[in-house]
Amino acid sequence: MDSANSEPPARPPLADTADEGLKIVIVGGFGVGKTTMVRSVSEIRPLNTEETMTRAGIGIDETTGVEGKTTTTVAFDFGRISLNERMVLYLFGAPGQERFWFLWDRLFSGTLGAVVLVDPRRVADSWYAIDRLEHHGLPFVVARNTFGPPRHTLDQVRDALTLDDAVPLIDCDARDRESGRTVLITLVDHLYALSRAQEMAQ
């Protein structure tokens, strides 16, 4: 059968038992792997708004460390993943360039938590994402997207980002589905732990 003429895979339906949907936002610097993570974990064909980068972005978009990047997200990425029979995550990948940061506050609306992706070659690019999440009071986890053997320990990354000890920090490979799932499960566990702590404090 000619694959070029084959029908696209059917969109997996939501399980009848699914009764809890969580909106999750994936944020981070330009070219850190947000679109890649949404694509790798989504159980449906993800919606993305990637466009080819043009000369108009020269001098505006910071491409140091990602010189080979040819496309960029101009609105957001969207995907869906079922963690279990009851819980579904709706994933929104935010654009990384400064000129699109105005979209972030809208994406944060209704969000229960976030993943901050960090490029270990450009750690400082993640400061803005962390600052905005803290400003909005949104819980988050930080995932270092591996690009080869790590040059620094996770403790060194935590210090560089001045992360609170209570914020989970883990390694991941945004290209790998199971690695991406682990990041999302870490976030859900973190949200659950925060909820339990709040209940105990009341």
Side-chain angles (χ1 to χ4, degrees):
M1 181 177 179
D2 185 355
S3 60
N5 296 322
S6 61
E7 293 293 325
R11 172 174 172 160
L14 279 175
D16 293 337
T17 52
D19 61 3
E20 187 171 4
L22 303 178
K23 179 182 176 183
I24 302 298
V25 174
I26 302 174
V27 295
F30 175 58
V32 76
K34 301 178 294 295
T35 297
T36 299
M37 175 171 279
V38 172
R39 285 177 178 169
S40 68
V41 300
S42 180
E43 63 193 16
I44 61 173
R45 179 179 293 176
L47 166 69
N48 65 68
T49 55
E50 280 202 314
E51 297 291 344
T52 301
M53 296 177 64
T54 67
R55 294 181 61 84
I58 296 176
I60 299 175
D61 297 331
E62 175 55 58
T63 58
T64 303
V66 288
E67 291 85 356
K69 187 171 174 60
T70 59
T71 60
T72 183
T73 300
V74 297
F76 61 85
D77 304 305
F78 173 76
R80 186 189 81 198
I81 179 173
S82 299
L83 287 186
N84 53 45
E85 292 183 350
R86 295 187 55 191
M87 184 176 294
V88 178
L89 300 185
Y90 297 101
L91 311 174
F92 291 80
Q97 303 100 304
E98 183 175 354
R99 58 195 168 110
F100 295 124
W101 284 350
F102 71 93
L103 293 170
W104 286 25
D105 289 351
R106 297 179 186 179
L107 286 177
F108 289 165
S109 178
T111 297
L112 292 183
V115 172
V116 179
L117 273 185
V118 174
D119 183 337
R121 303 165 300 183
R122 299 176 292 124
V123 173
D125 288 359
S126 300
W127 287 343
Y128 180 80
I130 292 172
D131 179 70
R132 294 312 299 166
L133 290 169
E134 290 178 341
H135 173 77
H136 283 272
L138 284 176
F140 63 93
V141 301
V142 177
R144 176 173 64 176
N145 192 11
T146 54
F147 294 90
R151 302 176 183 176
H152 306 92
T153 66
L154 286 177
D155 284 340
Q156 289 173 323
V157 174
R158 182 179 294 277
D159 288 342
L161 293 172
T162 62
L163 283 180
D164 188 280
D165 290 340
V167 177
L169 170 63
I170 62 174
D171 274 322
C172 77
D173 183 341
R175 302 165 298 181
D176 182 76
R177 178 177 175 82
E178 288 306 312
S179 182
R181 283 178 61 92
T182 297
V183 172
L184 297 174
I185 290 172
T186 299
L187 174 59
V188 171
D189 288 344
H190 181 51
L191 295 174
Y192 179 75
L194 291 175
S195 176
R196 289 288 295 166
Q198 188 175 33
E199 290 177 1
M200 295 292 289
Q202 292 177 351

